[in-house]
Amino acid sequence: MNGVVAEKFLELKKRQEVALIIYITFGFPDMKRTMEYIDEIIRGGADIIELGVPFSDPIAIPIVLMSYLNPIISYGRERFFKDVKKAGIGGVIIPDLPIEESKDWTAQAEDNGIETIFLVAPTSTEQRIKEIARSSQGFIYAVSVTGTTGMRQALAPGLFEFIKKVRKNSDKPIAV
């Protein structure tokens, strides 16, 4: 499947450019400002916007929605993908959706023209990286650190070796 996310990466590859992917939390601090932030992010040159859905315990550029399984299950998988498509979202990242349990999810996403993007971690085995690379659409999301996400003074040790390992197992774009 080649959706808007994959097409964006192909376009950038032809220009020999990398993607700028910006993450923001949807609805924070409020809906009005979220929309203002999105406009600013677009004007600032973002290639893809990753909108995070808060978890309590069509546009000129692709938008990728990030949410955990519980809110989607609560909302309803079929309804979720239909509404995501209606909203012009090009791809979804569901960090806690294991590859082994993703078949019905990815099928539902594909039926609605939505790309499913999976994460690889520095702790992923080579076999797991291959499985994730095969299943991920649009790009592979490489988590750069083990532990809590947040500000760092330096890049994680071994990051470049990890990215080389992911690259060795796929020719898909890799977002770090």
Side-chain angles (χ1 to χ4, degrees):
M1 176 178 145
N2 260 358
V4 295
V5 176
E7 290 299 321
K8 175 55 79 173
F9 278 104
L10 288 174
E11 171 193 322
L12 292 167
K13 186 176 185 177
K14 285 178 188 171
R15 295 194 318 242
Q16 296 184 342
E17 296 178 5
V18 297
L20 174 60
I21 303 173
I22 303 294
Y23 173 89
I24 63 170
T25 302
F26 191 74
F28 180 79
D30 55 54
M31 292 301 291
K32 181 178 185 284
R33 283 192 269 182
T34 296
M35 299 314 292
E36 290 169 1
Y37 296 159
I38 290 172
D39 288 341
E40 286 298 316
I41 290 168
I42 292 168
R43 279 194 290 281
D47 297 297
I48 296 172
I49 297 173
E50 184 181 335
L51 287 177
V53 175
F55 178 44
S56 59
D57 254 332
I59 291 181
I61 64 173
I63 293 181
V64 174
L65 185 69
M66 179 177 176
S67 176
Y68 290 91
L69 275 171
N70 280 348
I72 299 171
I73 291 168
S74 178
Y75 191 78
R77 183 176 61 208
E78 184 176 341
R79 181 174 156 216
F80 170 78
F81 284 115
K82 284 182 180 177
D83 287 350
V84 163
K85 178 182 181 178
K86 212 181 301 181
I89 303 294
V92 295
I93 300 168
I94 308 171
D96 57 345
L97 175 61
I99 293 293
E100 297 80 9
E101 298 174 22
S102 67
K103 187 178 178 185
D104 292 341
W105 290 84
T106 56
Q108 187 91 55
E110 283 187 34
D111 287 349
N112 286 281
I114 305 298
E115 294 167 87
T116 308
I117 298 142
F118 289 95
L119 287 76
V120 293
T123 55
S124 298
T125 64
E126 189 129 357
Q127 182 57 37
R128 185 123 184 107
I129 291 171
K130 287 177 185 177
E131 291 171 22
I132 291 167
R134 254 192 316 274
S135 298
S136 198
Q137 301 167 331
F139 64 94
I140 299 166
Y141 194 129
V143 179
S144 61
V145 296
T146 54
T148 306
T149 302
M151 293 183 56
R152 301 273 193 285
Q153 296 298 319
L155 294 174
L159 177 61
F160 294 107
E161 291 76 21
F162 168 55
I163 299 306
K164 285 178 188 174
K165 188 163 85 171
V166 176
R167 172 56 55 227
K168 183 178 100 177
N169 289 288
S170 178
D171 61 354
K172 291 179 182 169
I174 302 167
V176 182

